[in-house]
């Protein structure tokens, strides 16, 4: 992940994909923001639907905008945009 020197060196990224459980996704939210360009997209998947609200709150608190939410029971996915870049048209 983000502790890898090569990953840090090449940052920031336009797109980050994270397919991990909710607890890890929340714990690394600050690192995602640091490593993502302004206006960049993060796809958060592998979240159990009943924990999706906590993930959403963590990223909203860091000024991410929800572009789309997908739920296929029991899994949930958030597609978010980091604030500061050009606007994205919601699908």
């Amino acid at each position: 992940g983000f502790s890898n020197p090569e990953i840090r060196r090449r940052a920031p990224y336009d797109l980050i994909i994270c397919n991990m459980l909710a607890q890890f996704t929340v714990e690394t939210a600050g690192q995602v923001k640091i490593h993502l360009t302004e206006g960049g997209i993060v796809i958060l998947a592998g979240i159990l639907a009943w924990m999706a609200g906590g993930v959403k709150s963590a990223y909203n608190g860091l000024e991410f905008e929800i572009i789309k939410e997908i739920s296929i029971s029991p899994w949930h996915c958030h597609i978010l945009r980091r604030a500061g870049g050009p606007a994205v048209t919601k699908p």
Side-chain angles (χ1 to χ4, degrees):
F2 298 120
S3 63
N4 181 298
E6 189 65 16
I7 298 294
R8 287 195 316 263
R9 184 181 72 77
R10 292 178 178 232
Y13 297 94
D14 296 325
L15 174 67
I16 295 176
I17 300 170
C18 181
N19 186 20
M20 303 296 290
L21 294 175
Q23 182 178 348
F24 179 83
T25 302
V26 169
E27 290 171 0
T28 59
Q31 290 294 312
V32 169
K33 183 174 182 177
I34 289 169
H35 290 87
L36 190 65
T37 58
E38 289 185 356
I41 302 294
V42 60
I43 300 172
L44 305 173
I47 302 163
L48 290 167
W50 63 273
M51 297 186 81
V55 173
K56 184 176 178 178
S57 293
Y59 280 80
N60 281 341
L62 292 172
E63 300 178 339
F64 281 84
E65 170 193 10
I66 300 281
I67 294 173
K68 187 168 186 165
E69 295 180 68
I70 302 165
S71 186
I72 302 173
S73 187
W75 301 104
H76 199 82
C77 173
H78 293 297
I79 302 172
L80 305 105
R81 178 187 155 279
R82 182 180 167 200
V88 174
T89 303
K90 294 183 182 184

